[in-house]
Amino acid sequence: MQLLVNLNNVINKKLYFSYEKMSYIEKKFLRKINEIFEDELPQWEEYLLELLEKKSIKIADNVAKVCADLNKQINLILKKYYPEIKEMEDKLIVKSNLKFYYDLIDKLTDFIRNVENFQKIDEKYFLSLIEFIEDKDNLISGKYKNICRQELTAFYDEKSRAYLEKIIAEKFEKRSREFFTFGSLEEEIKKIARTAGANQVIITSVDNLPETQIFDSAQSLIRFGVPSENKAELKEIGEEIKRYLESKGYKVKLLDDSVITDLKLLPDEA
């Protein structure tokens, strides 16, 4: 018996996919996508709403943590799971949800940048973000579904679809690389490292590094260097950065001459 996809009822709380004639890997990856969309991301949305209700620029660091986790989860779907989805109806469902989160991440990034530039943000700005998140289901089943249907129809042939998806992947990967190129958190980390003696500080998304077991749960890698004659100071600098990040609610692991930060925190740990 086939489970039919109702394209007029694409909602985040329950995603309906057609599993007949799918390969094992496609079924497995659709289930993974379901878990992310239905179980993991809604928790962060609830936490975001709690933060935004405070209508304070002091939530910027917490919003940045949420934004980083959303970025990692959506990037995982886009780069690992989505390419294995073959059925056009299923692709439509996934893409419609992805588009919502693309826009949400853009809006949160804009919020963090505004906090950097202004000492105060109008209450209407917070309300607009709250309204966007609360209207998620309607946006996915309406606006984003229509946009995605047009895109998939326009690029129905295999070569055109592959080209479009390559462009989308490259664009999102660029966004992932540049995620930590703004904000007070990065500047504070660099200031602490340089004050402690570092002459070079580089912050990199782990998504762009070769896969190794030690990076499984991490989202960013902080590398720092010192003049050769001060090599003994590396550990002390790492401890300084570690203490600061832990005070902000981050999980941190020291490596030989690097600091790796894990931004995947539960809402009540922030």
Side-chain angles (χ1 to χ4, degrees), residues 60-86:
D61 284 348
N62 290 340
V63 170
K65 295 175 192 177
V66 176
C67 196
D69 194 80
L70 293 177
N71 184 73
K72 184 172 184 178
Q73 294 297 328
I74 297 305
N75 210 23
L76 176 64
I77 292 175
L78 181 66
K79 295 169 68 175
K80 182 175 181 179
Y81 301 141
Y82 180 75
E84 295 296 329
I85 309 306
K86 307 303 180 186

Side-chain angles (χ1 to χ4, degrees), residues 29-270:
F29 282 1
L30 276 177
R31 292 190 183 100
K32 291 288 187 181
I33 291 172
N34 261 333
E35 290 174 5
I36 293 173
F37 281 149
E38 295 180 15
D39 301 328
E40 297 185 29
L41 298 185
Q43 295 181 47
W44 288 113
E45 292 160 30
E46 291 178 10
Y47 180 47
L48 268 176
L49 289 173
E50 291 177 9
L51 291 174
L52 293 169
E53 287 289 350
K54 297 178 181 179
K55 302 178 178 64
S56 169
I57 62 174
K58 294 180 180 179
I59 67 171
D61 284 348
N62 290 340
V63 170
K65 295 175 192 177
V66 176
C67 196
D69 194 80
L70 293 177
N71 184 73
K72 184 172 184 178
Q73 294 297 328
I74 297 305
N75 210 23
L76 176 64
I77 292 175
L78 181 66
K79 295 169 68 175
K80 182 175 181 179
Y81 301 141
Y82 180 75
E84 295 296 329
I85 309 306
K86 307 303 180 186
E87 291 294 326
M88 295 298 290
E89 294 176 336
D90 297 331
K91 290 171 79 71
L92 175 60
I93 295 174
V94 178
K95 284 173 68 69
S96 300
N97 280 267
L98 285 176
K99 274 199 177 291
F100 169 80
Y101 287 105
Y102 295 159
D103 281 359
L104 177 57
I105 290 170
D106 281 340
K107 289 178 182 294
L108 296 178
T109 301
D110 181 69
F111 168 76
I112 297 167
R113 287 180 175 140
N114 281 330
V115 169
E116 288 298 299
N117 296 325
F118 304 102
Q119 294 299 313
K120 186 177 181 180
I121 296 179
D122 194 286
E123 183 176 334
K124 292 181 180 178
Y125 189 88
F126 291 98
L127 293 176
S128 67
L129 288 173
I130 292 171
E131 182 180 359
F132 180 80
I133 297 171
E134 290 181 338
D135 199 34
K136 177 183 69 174
D137 293 346
N138 290 330
L139 288 169
I140 291 174
S141 62
K143 173 184 176 181
Y144 294 122
K145 183 186 71 175
N146 291 334
I147 293 173
C148 292
R149 181 188 287 118
Q150 291 173 11
E151 289 179 354
L152 290 172
T153 300
F155 295 93
Y156 186 81
D157 75 275
E158 188 173 343
K159 289 184 178 180
S160 295
R161 283 205 314 274
Y163 176 74
L164 174 65
E165 288 161 10
K166 179 182 177 182
I167 295 298
I168 293 174
E170 289 175 352
K171 181 178 179 182
F172 201 77
E173 185 174 351
K174 181 180 178 183
R175 177 192 299 160
S176 177
R177 289 199 302 271
E178 295 178 348
F179 180 76
F180 273 108
T181 61
F182 64 87
S184 58
L185 180 62
E186 181 190 15
E187 291 306 314
E188 192 65 23
I189 291 170
K190 289 182 177 179
K191 182 170 67 175
I192 290 170
R194 287 171 180 147
T195 300
N199 63 352
Q200 182 182 25
V201 185
I202 300 173
I203 302 176
T204 310
S205 169
V206 173
D207 290 337
N208 302 304
L209 299 174
E211 290 188 9
T212 61
Q213 186 175 2
I214 202 163
F215 296 142
D216 281 350
S217 65
Q219 289 191 317
S220 63
L221 178 68
I222 303 173
R223 290 191 176 99
F224 52 89
V226 296
S228 58
E229 63 270 19
N230 299 333
K231 191 173 181 180
E233 297 178 2
L234 283 172
K235 184 175 181 181
E236 183 179 343
I237 296 170
E239 292 291 350
E240 285 286 337
I241 299 174
K242 183 173 184 288
R243 280 193 290 271
Y244 169 71
L245 288 171
E246 287 179 340
S247 74
K248 292 290 186 179
Y250 292 86
K251 295 178 182 176
V252 183
K253 182 171 184 179
L254 285 174
L255 303 180
D256 290 341
D257 58 354
S258 306
V259 178
I260 189 165
T261 67
D262 181 352
L263 307 185
K264 194 171 184 180
L265 304 179
L266 295 175
D268 60 1
E269 293 180 347

